DNA sequence: ACATACTTTGACCGCTCAGTCATGGTTTGT
DNA sequence: ACAAACCATGACTGAGCGGTCAAAGTATGT
């Protein structure tokens, strides 16, 4: 699972030049420069606080050149997130297929392994794209306005998938009969926070260790084999 | 635990007028108006995206009046958060005391009850100040720059306390020998996400239900009585 | 009663910003 | 070879913003 390029939000309309040609290569390089510069600045100051001029300057291009490749800041954010969003869609999709097969066979272990495979997929993705993952985690709780709207879209994707997958886990007997929405939210929250801390480079151990704790937490905390000790509220 | 007033960041230097007098009452009302207006706008658009003019306008005062009561936006955010931050400090402090007493008696049940009492304290606080809690949760992951710096300070307070408390839980035998930082992060993450979803009013059940799931998750997922089934990574 | 600090207002000011576009150079397709 | 699209540049434009402050009204302390 190699990282994929950020694509420009805007392309020439009639004569883009041959693939691999001068203009094509130039567009790739410029897009990359802008994306990289923006990502770094966004992580440092937040999406909203960074100006187009600063991004262009940090990328080493003129301000007007920014608009050759992107419509506006939101367009750039969208482009930054798209490779990760696409991979996430793929991961959730593969997990859904594995779950379907496991359910058809009434195979509870295969069910559990589907979720574990998903966790590994997500771990791999975040490790391949740590900075984009961090940006997502940093911004995904903010309101979906302005340049942050693309981030909110990815959050919606993840939320929906977590809910669906949690529902399947419950129906398949992996989780007790607790409120699915609450359970899904707890899992998303815990995993995001762990990833965020790990990816921030705080001498926090690696993502696999964090994932292990998370899976333990879920399987034993919410699974049907839990002890009879129940803490009342 | 009643909610407390937001205090102005700026006060008159020589003749504030008598407590309860015309000017005192006026300052309270204006401060409240500004705080309320700002809070609403911040939740809708994020702290950074809201201008001083918008806050003043929404509060029904002239723009220059904003500066009568607050130095700048960060000052207002600080004032908004202070009552909640103060209560959190109190809650953590009370929990620490209860833990100390339980540890002195080697009383494991009292240890567990200390954490439960903390969860109840935090639930009560968030229910008393839902909008401020939501603002905190929305913004606490962002970089600590500009008007968001006071939010980051509260996040630091919570992170530090969670780590300390998790360490005590581990030493007291409530949690297995997993990495304390990871465990603390998972708990903070899960609880924040749950609170955020509940407080957003998404037909998500109440905070007590969410807290119950969270406590179950922790006590059974990470406690020493966990089943021998271990999911490898 | 009076002097003075407080309060309110909103026009003003200088600065920043997103987006535009004229100009000139480069690449492509015919 | 040539026409035309593409590309880069940065000055320009109008809008928006934070903060200031003169002028006038109000509350307070002596």
């Amino acid at each position: 699972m190699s990282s994929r390029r950020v694509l420009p939000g805007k392309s020439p309309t009639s004569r883009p030049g041959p693939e691999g040609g001068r203009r094509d290569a130039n567009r790739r390089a410029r897009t990359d420069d802008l994306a990289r510069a923006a990502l770094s600045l966004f992580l440092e100051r937040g999406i909203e606080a960074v100006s187009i001029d600063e991004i262009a300057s940090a990328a080493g291009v003129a301000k007007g050149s920014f608009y050759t490749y992107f419509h506006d800041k939101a367009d750039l954010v969208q482009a930054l997130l798209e490779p990760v969003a696409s991979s996430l869609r793929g991961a959730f999709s593969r997990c859904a297929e594995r779950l379907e097969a496991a359910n058809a066979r009434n195979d509870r272990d295969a069910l559990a392994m589907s979720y574990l495979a998903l966790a590994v997929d997500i771990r791999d993705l975040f490790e391949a794209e740590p900075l984009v993952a961090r940006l997502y985690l940093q911004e995904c709780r903010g309101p979906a306005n302005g340049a942050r709207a693309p981030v909110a879209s990815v959050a919606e994707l993840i939320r929906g998938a977590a809910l669906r997958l949690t529902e399947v886990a419950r129906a398949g007997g992996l989780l007790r009969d607790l409120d699915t929405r609450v359970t899904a939210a707890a899992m998303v929250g815990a995993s995001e926070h762990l990833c965020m801390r790990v990816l921030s480079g705080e001498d926090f151990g690696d993502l696999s260790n964090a994932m292990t704790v998370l899976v333990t937490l879920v399987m034993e905390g919410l699974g049907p084999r839990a002890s009879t000790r129940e803490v009342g509220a």
Side-chain angles (χ1 to χ4, degrees), chain A residues 6-7 22-23 37 46 48 51 55 69 77 87 100 102 138 145 166 171 175-176 188 213 215 222 227 230 233:
Chain A
V6 173
L7 299 180
R22 278 285 187 85
R23 284 179 173 169
E48 202 97 33
S51 70
I55 295 168
Y69 303 99
V77 174
S87 294
E100 202 173 319
Q138 173 178 297
N145 60 295
T166 307
L175 301 176
R176 269 174 292 155
V188 170
V213 171
V215 172
L222 298 180
S227 82
E230 191 86 7

Side-chain angles (χ1 to χ4, degrees), chain A residues 125-146:
Chain A
L125 171 61
F126 279 16
E127 286 183 339
E129 295 286 353
L131 297 185
V132 175
R134 274 181 61 203
L135 180 65
Y136 168 73
L137 294 167
Q138 173 178 297
E139 300 285 342
C140 68
R141 286 200 188 151
N145 60 295

Side-chain angles (χ1 to χ4, degrees), chain A residues 67-82:
Chain A
Y67 295 95
T68 300
Y69 303 99
F70 298 102
H71 290 281
D72 52 24
K73 204 194 293 184
D75 197 30
L76 170 58
V77 174
Q78 167 80 23
L80 268 176
L81 292 173
E82 184 50 34

Side-chain angles (χ1 to χ4, degrees), chain A residues 45-46 111 150 196 220 226 228:
Chain A
R45 315 232 311 282
L111 265 191
M196 199 176 173
E220 304 193 4
T228 53

Side-chain angles (χ1 to χ4, degrees), chain A residues 130-175:
Chain A
L131 297 185
V132 175
R134 274 181 61 203
L135 180 65
Y136 168 73
L137 294 167
Q138 173 178 297
E139 300 285 342
C140 68
R141 286 200 188 151
N145 60 295
R148 210 162 23 205
V151 181
S153 292
V154 177
E156 187 59 45
L157 162 71
I158 290 172
R159 194 179 309 139
L163 189 55
R164 260 176 271 122
L165 297 182
T166 307
E167 192 56 59
V168 176
R170 207 174 76 137
L174 287 193
L175 301 176

Side-chain angles (χ1 to χ4, degrees), chain A residues 11-172:
Chain A
S11 298
T13 53
S14 55
R15 302 200 326 195
E19 191 162 323
R22 278 285 187 85
R23 284 179 173 169
D24 184 57
N26 179 66
R27 265 192 310 273
R28 285 164 183 263
R30 288 298 152 83
T31 302
D32 272 357
D33 290 343
L34 286 165
R36 210 175 327 237
L39 186 50
S40 175
L41 289 166
F42 289 158
L43 285 171
E44 191 184 317
R45 315 232 311 282
I47 288 176
E48 202 97 33
V50 180
S51 70
I52 302 291
D53 208 354
E54 286 177 300
I55 295 168
S57 190
V61 302
K63 180 152 164 244
S65 280
F66 175 92
Y67 295 95
T68 300
Y69 303 99
F70 298 102
H71 290 281
D72 52 24
K73 204 194 293 184
D75 197 30
L76 170 58
V77 174
Q78 167 80 23
L80 268 176
L81 292 173
E82 184 50 34
V84 165
S86 181
S87 294
L88 281 173
R89 272 182 226 112
F92 290 135
S93 184
R94 285 193 296 280
C95 185
E97 280 163 19
R98 281 190 285 245
L99 288 177
E100 202 173 319
N103 261 337
R105 304 192 319 259
N106 240 355
D107 188 343
R108 189 130 135 213
D109 285 341
L111 265 191
M113 294 311 288
S114 303
Y115 292 108
L116 190 62
L118 175 64
V120 171
D121 272 356
I122 292 176
R123 182 201 66 195
D124 289 348
L125 171 61
F126 279 16
E127 286 183 339
E129 295 286 353
L131 297 185
V132 175
R134 274 181 61 203
L135 180 65
Y136 168 73
L137 294 167
Q138 173 178 297
E139 300 285 342
C140 68
R141 286 200 188 151
N145 60 295
R148 210 162 23 205
V151 181
S153 292
V154 177
E156 187 59 45
L157 162 71
I158 290 172
R159 194 179 309 139
L163 189 55
R164 260 176 271 122
L165 297 182
T166 307
E167 192 56 59
V168 176
R170 207 174 76 137

